[in-house]
Amino acid sequence: MSRDVRICFVGDSLVAGLGDRQCLGWPGRLAARAIGAGRPVTYYNLGVRAQTSADIAARWESECEQRLPEGIDARVVFSFGINDTLLDEGKVRVPTERSLADLTAILRRAKARRWETMVVAPPPVIDDEQNGRIEKLDAHFTEICEAEDIPYVRIHQPLRHSEIWMREMSAGDGYHPGAAGYEEFAALIVPLWLLWLSEPGSGLPVVG
Amino acid sequence: MSRDVRICFVGDSLVAGLGDRQCLGWPGRLAARAIGAGRPVTYYNLGVRAQTSADIAARWESECEQRLPEGIDARVVFSFGINDTLLDEGKVRVPTERSLADLTAILRRAKARRWETMVVAPPPVIDDEQNGRIEKLDAHFTEICEAEDIPYVRIHQPLRHSEIWMREMSAGDGYHPGAAGYEEFAALIVPLWLLWLSEPGSGLPVVG
């Protein structure tokens, strides 16, 4: 008898898989990989274009609540930050302290709900100056997740050195890859992903 | 310059694509088909397991609002009803009048928001008695959509005569097909789907 694992992927347009002609993005690829590996999961994609940590903080819980009833192995994967670091009239859309406060608040609420959580780093974009800001956010996110005891998947640096990823950044709109880029993104997460799924979630009733 | 078309698929586990090892369901297949046909769309899947028309009526608007900002070609595809007709201690989970009131209210709100809307019929399941109740709901849904001037895609009857669909109902849990069944489902909708997408949505600003 397999566990009833349901997973919400919460984040921005990269989570939604914008630009992927196959309409899977990296979350759809991870879900399909889990099923292929004999670990059935219910897959919910809650990525929304243009959203910052503040936008996500305001909606994630009510949307996850609809999808994660009591008595299942309920999980949430978060990935955001790129839109926080976008410049708007010379200022970032969300100041760093606010991004960090949003992430901390989100992780604590998820823990209170007993939803098993994982965070995936914001990937690199075409613009090097913005990548500098994303890397700083990534370093802070790493610390927060360590302090909160939540797995954080550091995909920013490997993708910056990925020929496929950076080529797709140049070929596309500078922010979203195509199918091959999302495949590369997912492949970096797969080992940790399957390991994470193999452990029962904390919200499960203890059965003898 | 192509229109910025963003589409939310709202409904139950059939919309979510439960049972599809490819994690696309029929909505993901429709979105991929549109992109393949040179009509880029942003694809949001808001199907949730076990939800009735009442559950959906309570959450669909706030979730779509997050994803459909002003100034785009905003669309919503609805599909629900199977869970309304499930028996719980001898009574259906949602009485017919309530299902119909929910659909009517949803369509009118969508029109008020200027979101272009389409409704897809609830498909057949393994149980013939329940299929009888779904068919009655389907007939009412047809009338409502006609009265509200909303396209309604009658996939219930052709799927009931589809060897692939009914075989996958028997092979699976009786409610969810595998990839081949979802492909069959999507194929029935494709012609109307591409036609529907070729027409600009009503919420678009008129540009000279």
Side-chain angles (χ1 to χ4, degrees):
Chain A
M1 177 79 198
S2 54
R3 282 175 286 133
D4 181 357
V5 182
R6 306 190 191 183
I7 309 179
C8 295
F9 290 84
V10 178
D12 52 26
S13 57
L14 272 298
V15 171
L18 196 69
D20 182 3
R21 298 174 66 89
Q22 295 175 31
C23 295
L24 288 165
W26 57 267
R29 286 176 167 76
L30 286 183
R33 203 73 78 98
I35 296 168
R39 303 204 164 278
V41 297
T42 298
Y43 160 58
Y44 293 122
N45 190 315
L46 299 172
V48 178
R49 286 177 73 165
Q51 289 206 335
T52 64
S53 64
D55 299 323
I56 291 162
R59 66 151 171 109
W60 77 278
E61 192 173 349
S62 64
E63 292 189 358
C64 288
E65 195 169 54
Q66 289 286 328
R67 290 157 176 85
L68 303 174
E70 293 291 318
I72 60 149
D73 186 336
R75 296 171 181 241
V76 191
V77 178
F78 293 97
S79 186
F80 53 77
I82 292 180
N83 294 316
D84 294 28
T85 66
L86 269 178
L87 293 186
D88 188 8
E89 299 186 357
K91 284 166 62 181
V92 290
R93 282 186 62 200
V94 179
T96 307
E97 319 78 69
R98 176 69 201 274
S99 304
L100 305 184
D102 287 332
L103 177 62
T104 306
I106 285 169
L107 295 181
R108 290 184 182 169
R109 278 302 301 160
K111 193 167 284 178
R113 303 293 302 247
R114 308 193 74 192
W115 294 335
E116 204 68 30
T117 303
M118 175 188 278
V119 180
V120 174
V125 300
I126 190 73
D127 179 59
D128 261 343
E129 250 179 58
Q130 188 175 356
N131 281 336
R133 295 193 295 276
I134 296 172
E135 273 202 303
K136 277 183 194 148
L137 204 57
D138 173 64
H140 288 301
F141 281 5
T142 306
E143 283 167 24
I144 289 175
C145 288
E146 205 173 278
E148 300 292 330
D149 201 19
I150 296 295
Y152 182 72
V153 196
R154 304 203 68 181
I155 52 85
H156 184 91
Q157 293 74 9
L159 284 180
R160 197 138 171 206
H161 294 104
S162 155
E163 210 180 303
I164 292 176
W165 183 268
M166 293 313 291
R167 191 174 57 226
E168 297 215 324
M169 286 299 109
S170 312
D173 64 2
Y175 286 86
H176 306 95
Y182 283 115
E183 181 60 39
E184 186 91 343
F185 192 135
L188 284 172
I189 311 178
V190 164
L192 180 60
W193 166 248
L194 293 178
L195 196 66
W196 187 62
L197 286 179
S198 70
E199 291 161 11
S202 61
L204 280 186
V206 180
V207 192
Chain B
M1 177 80 197
S2 54
R3 280 176 286 134
D4 182 357
V5 182
R6 306 190 191 183
I7 309 177
C8 295
F9 291 83
V10 178
D12 50 27
S13 57
L14 272 298
V15 171
L18 197 69
D20 181 3
R21 298 173 66 88
Q22 295 174 32
C23 295
L24 288 165
W26 58 267
R29 285 176 167 76
L30 286 183
R33 203 71 79 100
I35 296 169
R39 303 205 166 277
V41 297
T42 298
Y43 159 59
Y44 293 122
N45 190 314
L46 299 172
V48 177
R49 287 178 71 165
Q51 288 207 335
T52 64
S53 64
D55 299 323
I56 291 162
R59 68 151 170 110
W60 78 277
E61 192 173 348
S62 64
E63 292 190 357
C64 288
E65 194 169 52
Q66 289 286 328
R67 290 157 177 83
L68 304 174
E70 292 292 318
I72 60 149
D73 187 335
R75 295 171 182 241
V76 191
V77 178
F78 293 97
S79 186
F80 52 78
I82 291 179
N83 294 316
D84 294 28
T85 65
L86 269 176
L87 292 186
D88 187 11
E89 299 186 357
K91 284 167 61 181
V92 290
R93 281 188 61 200
V94 179
T96 306
E97 319 80 69
R98 175 70 200 274
S99 304
L100 306 184
D102 287 332
L103 177 62
T104 305
I106 285 170
L107 296 181
R108 290 184 182 169
R109 279 300 302 158
K111 193 168 285 177
R113 302 292 303 245
R114 309 193 73 192
W115 294 335
E116 204 72 24
T117 303
M118 176 188 276
V119 180
V120 174
V125 300
I126 191 72
D127 178 59
D128 260 345
E129 250 179 57
Q130 188 175 356
N131 282 335
R133 295 193 294 276
I134 296 172
E135 273 203 303
K136 277 182 193 150
L137 203 56
D138 173 64
H140 288 301
F141 281 3
T142 307
E143 283 167 24
I144 288 176
C145 289
E146 204 172 276
E148 300 291 331
D149 200 20
I150 296 295
Y152 183 71
V153 196
R154 304 204 67 182
I155 52 84
H156 184 91
Q157 294 74 9
L159 284 180
R160 196 137 174 208
H161 294 103
S162 154
E163 209 180 302
I164 292 176
W165 183 268
M166 294 313 291
R167 191 173 59 225
E168 297 216 323
M169 287 299 110
S170 311
D173 63 3
Y175 286 85
H176 306 95
Y182 283 115
E183 181 61 38
E184 186 92 343
F185 192 135
L188 284 171
I189 310 178
V190 164
L192 180 60
W193 166 248
L194 293 178
L195 196 66
W196 186 64
L197 286 179
S198 70
E199 291 161 11
S202 59
L204 277 186
V206 180
V207 192

